[in-house]
Amino acid sequence: THVQAYGGYVLHVGLLRKGSLAEGDQAECHVSYATRKKVAPNHTLTHLLNAALVEALGDGVAQKGSLVDASKLRFDFSHGGALKPSELAAVEASVRAAVADALPVYSQVVPLDRARAIVGLRAVFGEAYPDPVRVVSVGTSVDELLASDGAGCASVEFCGGTHLSNTAEAGAFALIEEAAVAKGIRRLTGVTGEAAVAALALGDALAAELSALEPDKAALNDFKDRLDAAVVSAHVKTELRARLEALSKQAAAAAKAAANELKMRATQAAIEAAEVAAAKGDAFVVLELEPGVDAKGAQGLLTAFGKAVPSVALLAFSADVGGEKLSCFACVPEAVDGLAANEWVAAALEPCGGRGGGKKDSAQGTAPGLDRVGQAVEAARAFASAKL
């Protein structure tokens, strides 16, 4: 399944699935052309990726390793930091343009000293190459490169591997990942053919979906999970994450503003109800507020209420927006003697199977479901009436 040349020998590495094998046995090797057909586009486009990186980042880029198989291509290179989205986009666009241009791919065995003189040649530093060496070029024949300055050549490297005869055979290309391997070493991963077509289409679909998405926290979180798992172009994923972060900030700001407005309305409603109660000589008020007043909002409400109406105790209920939980909170001023907020909340939530905690002057609690809100209201009024 894997072939390498070492010390003048050709080493075939594979998995023995049945039978036995001993030293001296003869084996017959067969090329898997189906696998080779899948590997070839990934190998040819690795060469183009190498050239595109030099074009985008400069001659300081040096190859530090590569891997090509039937499903992907991987290329390691020297670079001081992560590539910018614009650089990733430029590299991907360069390779895709070479595929679209349907460039011929050439190979020729050339004496090493002549091959090294080819302008624009890319070779791995420190690698020992045979003499003569196989030269693979894209867009310009090896003979032309030997006789010219290399102008118009998309890529030229020393290589003994399998390649396409024309870049169009790759079908498509997508650069799907960029990551760090070690200090000063980056790794790019790409796909070709149907996998690339799918990655490019999914990127376009996610971009369109995000453009139509409302700044709603739940929807944005769902989109983030799907984006993180998506196989799309790396620059597209980075750009969509930036747009998503901006929308998330908008959603957070909108949610904060809505919560503040709700707290103000709820506080005003509680104060007005307490003022009516005080005018009738009542020492407490129990009421249901509009849904959505959470623990943080309730704390602010209780503080504002205590300052505005210091002679009336308050116990209020508010359902969560999803309708799955009932919140209860109470405050009892010093002027109302005989009633403890924590006991009041506990008594109110008992019919609902809820529980709460707090102190004599302020307490909060919750209960599952909303089907017994009416019983909770009656229990709260009965408990306060009995104590006062």
Side-chain angles (χ1 to χ4, degrees), residues 18-385:
K18 62 181 180 178
S20 61
L21 191 64
E23 184 179 351
D25 289 350
Q26 292 189 353
E28 185 175 346
C29 299
H30 296 273
V31 174
S32 173
Y33 290 100
T35 301
R36 175 177 283 189
K37 187 176 181 180
K38 295 177 181 178
V39 172
N42 290 334
H43 198 169
T44 300
L45 267 57
T46 299
H47 284 212
L48 291 171
L49 178 60
N50 190 355
L53 281 167
V54 174
E55 181 183 354
L57 305 178
D59 291 331
V61 172
Q63 181 176 344
K64 295 298 181 180
S66 66
L67 178 147
V68 290
D69 59 26
S71 64
K72 66 183 179 299
L73 62 93
R74 201 172 70 193
F75 189 79
D76 297 348
F77 61 99
S78 59
H79 193 59
L83 273 66
K84 301 173 183 176
S86 59
E87 292 170 333
L88 290 169
V91 170
E92 182 183 85
S94 177
V95 178
R96 291 178 64 186
V99 174
D101 289 343
L103 302 175
V105 181
Y106 304 91
S107 67
Q108 185 173 323
V109 177
V110 180
L112 185 58
D113 58 344
R114 291 194 64 202
R116 288 191 184 278
I118 294 175
V119 176
L121 175 76
R122 299 293 295 168
V124 179
F125 178 78
E127 184 81 7
Y129 292 100
D131 189 6
V133 66
R134 183 171 182 252
V135 179
V136 175
S137 63
V138 180
T140 304
S141 71
V142 178
D143 279 334
E144 290 178 279
L145 292 173
L146 289 168
S148 68
D149 61 1
C153 183
S155 166
V156 56
E157 295 189 28
F158 295 159
C159 183
T162 184
H163 283 278
L164 302 173
S165 61
N166 190 290
T167 58
E169 296 167 20
F173 173 75
L175 186 58
I176 61 172
E177 187 177 10
E178 191 261 356
V181 177
K183 184 177 181 181
I185 307 295
R186 310 297 298 180
R187 171 173 291 172
L188 295 179
T189 302
V191 291
T192 61
E194 293 181 359
V197 171
L200 296 171
L202 180 56
D204 290 342
L206 288 172
E209 180 183 348
L210 186 58
S211 296
L213 204 60
E214 295 294 331
D216 172 76
K217 182 178 179 180
L220 294 176
N221 286 341
D222 173 71
F223 184 88
K224 179 181 182 302
D225 290 341
R226 290 187 288 114
L227 176 62
D228 288 343
V231 177
V232 297
S233 294
H235 73 92
V236 170
K237 182 171 285 192
T238 301
E239 291 162 357
L240 290 180
R241 281 173 171 162
R243 289 172 54 191
L244 183 63
E245 183 178 359
L247 278 175
S248 296
K249 289 181 178 179
Q250 291 181 27
K256 183 177 180 180
N260 285 334
E261 292 177 3
L262 173 59
K263 183 182 72 173
M264 292 175 62
R265 292 196 304 271
T267 300
Q268 186 61 35
I271 290 173
E272 291 176 357
E275 289 174 343
V276 171
K280 296 191 299 183
D282 295 336
F284 72 91
V285 62
V286 175
L287 70 158
E288 292 183 60
L289 299 173
E290 63 181 288
V293 181
D294 57 14
K296 184 177 180 180
Q299 191 59 50
L301 183 155
L302 295 176
T303 300
F305 179 89
K307 293 178 180 179
V309 193
S311 61
V312 177
L314 165 71
L315 186 142
F317 297 96
S318 177
D320 70 335
V321 177
E324 298 178 354
K325 184 177 68 174
L326 179 67
S327 293
C328 176
F329 40 91
C331 66
V332 179
E334 292 183 3
V336 180
D337 191 25
L339 182 63
N342 53 349
E343 295 176 357
W344 198 11
V345 168
L349 292 177
E350 185 176 359
C352 305
R355 55 192 301 179
K359 299 179 180 180
K360 180 179 179 181
D361 59 338
S362 180
Q364 295 190 37
T366 60
L370 308 177
D371 53 335
R372 299 182 180 179
V373 177
Q375 296 178 42
V377 170
E378 292 303 319
R381 287 175 177 158
F383 183 86
S385 296

